[in-house]
Structure formats: C-alpha cells, structure tokens
Amino acid sequence: MSPFWLSLWVASIALVIVIITGLGACYWMNRCNWGGMAILDALITLPLVLPPVVVGFALLMVFTPGYVFGAWLEDHGMSVVFAASGAVIASSVIAFPLFYQTVRSALQSVDHNMEDVARTLGASELRIFFTISVPLAWKGILTGSILAFCRAMGEFGATILIAGNIPKVTRTMPLAIYSYVEAGQYMDAFELVVYICVLTLVLLSGIHLITKGSLFRHTDNN
C-alpha cells in the first residue's frame, strides 16, 4: 500500500503548491495589460500539451547537480533528483496548467460590475480579488483543484525521469503499476488500478455534483 499513500501525499503537497501559485498567476494575468500576455499564457499552458517525459527532461536539466541551480541546491543540502521532492515538483508542474486554465476561465466569467462597484468604494485590487472574485468563482476553483489533484496523482512520465522509481521513496501508484506489469505481477497491478480508478471516479463525480448544484439543493429550497 505504500505507493497508494505516497501518491496521496505527493498529490496533496502538489495541490497546495498549485493552488497558491495558480491563484497568484490568475490574479496577475487577469489584471495585467502587457502586450506579450498571449505568449506568457501559452508558456504557462505548455506542460499541459507537451509529452510528460519532455517536461521531466527539462526539470532534470534544471535540478540535476551537474548544472548550476542543481549544484547550488546540493551545496545547501537540498536534493530533488531521485527524491520525493522531485516527484512533488514534477506533479506540480504537470498539474499547474490544468488548474490555471480552469480557474482563469471561472474568474473571467465573474460579474465584473461587482468588482467595479468595489473599486468605486476604494477597495484595493488584491482585496477585490480575494473577497469578491474568488468567492464568486469558487466552483471553478474547486473543480480546478480536483482536476489538478487527479492529474498530479496520475503523473508518470515526468516523475520517473526526475524522481526515479525507488520503492517507498518515489514509487507512486503509476510507477508501481508499471513495475508490477514489467515483473509479471498482474494482480498487484490490477489492485492499484482499482484503487486509482475508484478514487478518481469519486473525485470526478464530486465535480459533476458540485457544478450541477446538487450538493446545495436542500439549502436552496430553504
């Protein structure tokens, strides 16, 4: 069961990172009028469409001790390559564009008249974002969070390049499934496939219920 719990741990830490950085990116992108925003938006979305192994290779080039930044991290006692932190970083990078695009679309659909009223009352942009925009777009943020969590939990290509496939250290469920199949342990692989499918199905069903408003039907009737 160690791959199951490790996957949950990696995906949970990655989700926290994605939410913090994603909300910051959405705030800046929705309020910046710089001419190169389209290019920057494309760069942010790039890990979503690139093969994960390409993203993993890029991360390996950044964090390997053979290069400047990786060597600096190693000198300060921080290890990313072939470590659990590498799995977290890989999952965060892969899941970030999915959260970013979902949340940005939700924020753009918010009624901007309410934001304009707050501006006339002297509210700062940061206060408007967290007290008006984010609460109104909470369904999109929750949906993006669940999708990002599922994507982080299922990450394989980038993780195996930067973090490796070390049992009880970096072997998440996708890596364990690959290892079991490679070793001919199909029943062990099938067990993990069931776990990850059930968990993902529950989370995606939650998205459907929340976006349809079914969870609040009783409250609305009151």
Side-chain angles (χ1 to χ4, degrees):
M1 290 297 292
S2 62
F4 178 79
W5 297 114
L6 182 61
S7 292
L8 291 181
W9 180 82
V10 168
S12 298
I13 300 299
L15 179 61
V16 173
I17 296 173
V18 165
I19 290 176
I20 294 174
T21 56
L23 287 177
C26 289
Y27 170 80
W28 190 75
M29 292 291 286
N30 284 345
R31 283 164 171 77
C32 184
N33 295 320
W34 177 52
M37 296 300 291
I39 298 176
L40 183 58
D41 185 74
L43 289 174
I44 293 175
T45 312
L46 197 58
L48 186 63
V49 296
L50 282 176
V53 290
V54 175
V55 178
F57 180 76
L59 292 174
L60 189 63
M61 291 297 98
V62 172
F63 291 104
T64 186
Y67 292 90
V68 177
F69 185 63
W72 181 85
L73 289 176
E74 189 176 56
D75 292 339
H76 289 78
M78 292 177 283
S79 179
V80 173
V81 179
F82 302 125
S85 56
V88 172
I89 292 174
S91 297
S92 301
V93 173
I94 294 296
F96 177 84
L98 191 58
F99 177 86
Y100 165 78
Q101 289 295 344
T102 304
V103 173
R104 192 177 182 201
S105 298
L107 289 171
Q108 289 175 341
S109 64
V110 168
D111 185 2
H112 297 296
N113 291 326
M114 299 184 68
E115 296 176 339
D116 293 336
V117 170
R119 290 187 183 94
T120 60
L121 296 175
S124 65
E125 291 296 322
L126 194 62
R127 183 176 181 182
I128 292 171
F129 181 75
F130 283 106
T131 60
I132 297 177
S133 304
V134 169
L136 290 176
W138 73 269
K139 286 188 179 181
I141 294 173
L142 185 57
T143 299
S145 299
I146 295 175
L147 291 175
F149 180 84
C150 293
R151 185 65 188 88
M153 189 172 57
E155 165 50 32
F156 174 83
T159 302
I160 198 170
L161 277 185
I162 188 173
N165 189 8
I166 307 172
K168 298 184 179 181
V169 179
T170 63
R171 181 173 288 179
T172 57
M173 280 193 288
L175 297 177
I177 292 169
Y178 171 79
S179 299
Y180 287 146
V181 171
E182 194 176 40
Q185 299 174 257
Y186 294 107
M187 290 308 299
D188 292 329
F190 178 74
E191 183 179 357
L192 286 180
V193 168
V194 171
Y195 289 147
I196 198 170
C197 287
V198 170
L199 181 57
T200 304
L201 182 61
V202 169
L203 292 173
L204 293 178
S205 298
I207 291 178
H208 176 74
L209 291 173
I210 293 170
T211 54
K212 295 295 183 179
S214 300
L215 295 180
F216 303 95
R217 187 171 299 159
H218 178 72
T219 304
D220 291 340
N221 291 337
N222 292 334

